[in-house]
Amino acid sequence: MIRHAGMIARRVAGHWCGALIEGPSGVGKSDLAFRALAEGFRLVSDDYALVFASNGKLFGRAPDALAGLIEVRGLGVLPQAHLSLCRVRLLVRCAIRPQAVERMPEPIFETIEGVSVPVLDLWPLEPAAPGKIGRMFEHLGVTD
């Protein structure tokens, strides 16, 4: 399944953990991914991600035409080192304004390709957004 989402990953407890980043066009998905790269994340895909389930786990990768590319507003489409495949551990849903994000949300999940995935709603232009994704990975715990 192709999703209109970017994907970044970070190594946690020896495992690559991927976060799909979804939201309306122009909300700041690629900007969030670009800033996350400076905080130790790796690019998997920008703009679109191919996701699929295997053995009860969800995985994502870039479509071939977009592999290793990221759009940086004001600079254009740039080459970027990337991971060719990663397990999806989190769905980040980008809000269009900071007030749309609950201060103390209850845990929520979305089923993608038959796999339940934790959801993190956040405002992508917030300076702490990449750190919140990293903290969510740590909070989830990675055991396999």
Side-chain angles (χ1 to χ4, degrees), residues 5-41:
M7 188 171 166
I8 56 175
R10 187 170 187 177
R11 202 147 174 88
V12 179
H15 301 275
W16 283 106
C17 299
L20 283 173
I21 304 173
E22 294 187 335
S25 184
V27 75
K29 298 180 298 291
S30 293
D31 182 82
L32 171 56
F34 185 69
R35 287 182 292 119
L37 298 177
E39 292 196 22
F41 285 81

Side-chain angles (χ1 to χ4, degrees), residues 1-2 4 15 17 24 30-31 38 48 67 74 109 121 123 136 138:
M1 157 194 281
I2 296 177
H4 185 203
H15 301 275
C17 299
S30 293
D31 182 82
Y48 288 94
F109 297 84
D121 290 326
W123 184 51
M136 187 70 171
E138 293 167 11

Side-chain angles (χ1 to χ4, degrees), residues 73-94:
R73 191 175 296 267
L75 295 178
V77 178
L78 304 175
Q80 178 65 48
H82 72 290
L83 297 176
S84 59
L85 178 72
C86 187
R87 183 168 172 196
V88 176
R89 298 282 191 156
L90 180 65
L91 173 62
V92 175
R93 295 188 309 201
C94 296

Side-chain angles (χ1 to χ4, degrees), residues 2-143:
I2 296 177
R3 289 181 76 102
H4 185 203
M7 188 171 166
I8 56 175
R10 187 170 187 177
R11 202 147 174 88
V12 179
H15 301 275
W16 283 106
C17 299
L20 283 173
I21 304 173
E22 294 187 335
S25 184
V27 75
K29 298 180 298 291
S30 293
D31 182 82
L32 171 56
F34 185 69
R35 287 182 292 119
L37 298 177
E39 292 196 22
F41 285 81
R42 293 281 304 273
L43 180 70
V44 178
S45 183
D46 185 41
D47 206 29
Y48 288 94
L50 295 170
V51 297
F52 61 93
S54 178
N55 294 321
K57 298 173 184 172
L58 190 66
F59 295 89
R61 69 174 187 85
D64 291 340
L66 301 177
L69 299 173
I70 187 169
E71 180 184 352
V72 181
R73 191 175 296 267
L75 295 178
V77 178
L78 304 175
Q80 178 65 48
H82 72 290
L83 297 176
S84 59
L85 178 72
C86 187
R87 183 168 172 196
V88 176
R89 298 282 191 156
L90 180 65
L91 173 62
V92 175
R93 295 188 309 201
C94 296
I96 58 172
R97 62 188 194 296
Q99 298 82 3
V101 178
E102 288 187 47
R103 288 184 67 184
M104 302 286 284
E106 293 294 321
I108 54 176
F109 297 84
E110 185 171 317
T111 301
I112 302 172
E113 294 291 298
V115 179
S116 180
V117 179
V119 174
L120 173 62
D121 290 326
L122 58 69
W123 184 51
L125 301 179
E126 174 183 12
K132 288 181 178 182
I133 295 171
R135 181 59 72 112
M136 187 70 171
F137 282 149
E138 293 167 11
H139 174 73
L140 292 171
V142 178
T143 59

